[in-house]
Amino acid sequence: MRQSEHFPDSVTVIEVGPRDGFQNVKGEIPTEEKVKIINLLATSGLKRIEATSFTHPKWIPQLKDAAEVIRCINRGSDVVFSALIPNEKGLDRAIENGVEEVVFVVSASDALNRENFNQSTAESLAELAAISPKAKRNGVRLRGAIAASFGCPLEGSVAVERVIDVAKAFQKAEVCEVSLADTTGMAHPLQVRDLLCRLFAEFSDLPLALHFHDTRRIGLVNVYSAWQIGARIFESSIAGLGGCPYAPGAPGNVATESLVYMFHRIGVETGVDLESLMECSRITKEVVGGIDPDRCHG
Ligand SMILES: [Zn+2]
């Protein structure tokens, strides 16, 4: 039961709606609306927010305003704003724009890595060898994320050993934390328990975060399962924004407000003010719902 020695019991919530959520919204969300929502999230007590992604606009047109978003959000607070990067080019843009933390994603499934990043998992990991020292030289904190940790829509089940191999590469690259992503919402609670037992035993010094999608409406059950095993860092999305390109119309990430509500009800602190969060959720639904009504499930 590692990563659970806090007293009183508490968890860290990482808000990923402005990245994972927005990127799945059809129709352009105006930059100023994104900035407004991110600033509101930052006032609700969330201390970590994934604000955008430095991915080529050709792949994710919705986030083509990444630099502008980073420039316009209120960064004077004690909130860490991160940006996702798919490759070294993304890191260069993040550095240029003064991002303090980047999240480098590698898929445990080769097929999904090729589909999303146009190169094999091994090639992405080779790129990590260049990304890590460059991030360090520029004072940028590097996190790792492992896509398809709980299964792949193209390959089916993904062997635990492949998740461990990618995590080992991240550890060698001295990332501060690794996020295990259930990219398309294939995880179930017993699988979560088994995978985490293996990973906690293998990586006792590496903080592990969990990123669940609610594609099949059991995202929160998976969160609870992970928490019981000792996980204390969770990623979620305001209003349950997000989606799954392999399951059109499916719900997105676990909703931040549901996750915070559950933890508060079982006596676990999040540091987040639920009332402010509900207001953020309402405003997010209003903004996004006007553009893409299918994308609000929170
Ligand atoms: Zn995701």
Side-chain angles (χ1 to χ4, degrees), residues 12-17 19-20 48 50 82 84 101 103 143-146 177-182 208-213 219 223 232-238 253-256 259 263:
T12 299
V13 182
I14 304 173
E15 171 62 45
V16 298
R19 197 278 303 169
D20 210 354
R48 298 176 62 181
E50 198 170 286
S82 62
L84 188 143
E101 182 183 280
V103 186
R143 281 182 90 219
I146 308 178
E177 185 177 287
V178 168
S179 173
L180 304 168
D182 182 21
L208 298 174
L210 278 306
H211 174 115
F212 290 116
H213 278 252
V223 169
R232 291 298 180 265
I233 311 165
F234 294 96
E235 299 179 8
S236 58
S237 174
I238 191 71
N253 295 69
V254 166
T256 307
L259 182 136
F263 279 125

Side-chain angles (χ1 to χ4, degrees), residues 221-253:
V221 187
N222 290 328
V223 169
Y224 185 69
S225 176
W227 177 79
Q228 279 192 309
I229 298 299
R232 291 298 180 265
I233 311 165
F234 294 96
E235 299 179 8
S236 58
S237 174
I238 191 71
L241 279 190
C244 171
Y246 300 94
N253 295 69

Side-chain angles (χ1 to χ4, degrees), residues 242-270:
C244 171
Y246 300 94
N253 295 69
V254 166
T256 307
E257 57 271 36
S258 303
L259 182 136
V260 166
Y261 174 80
M262 180 189 78
F263 279 125
H264 288 185
R265 291 288 288 166
I266 61 172
V268 176
E269 290 181 6
T270 64

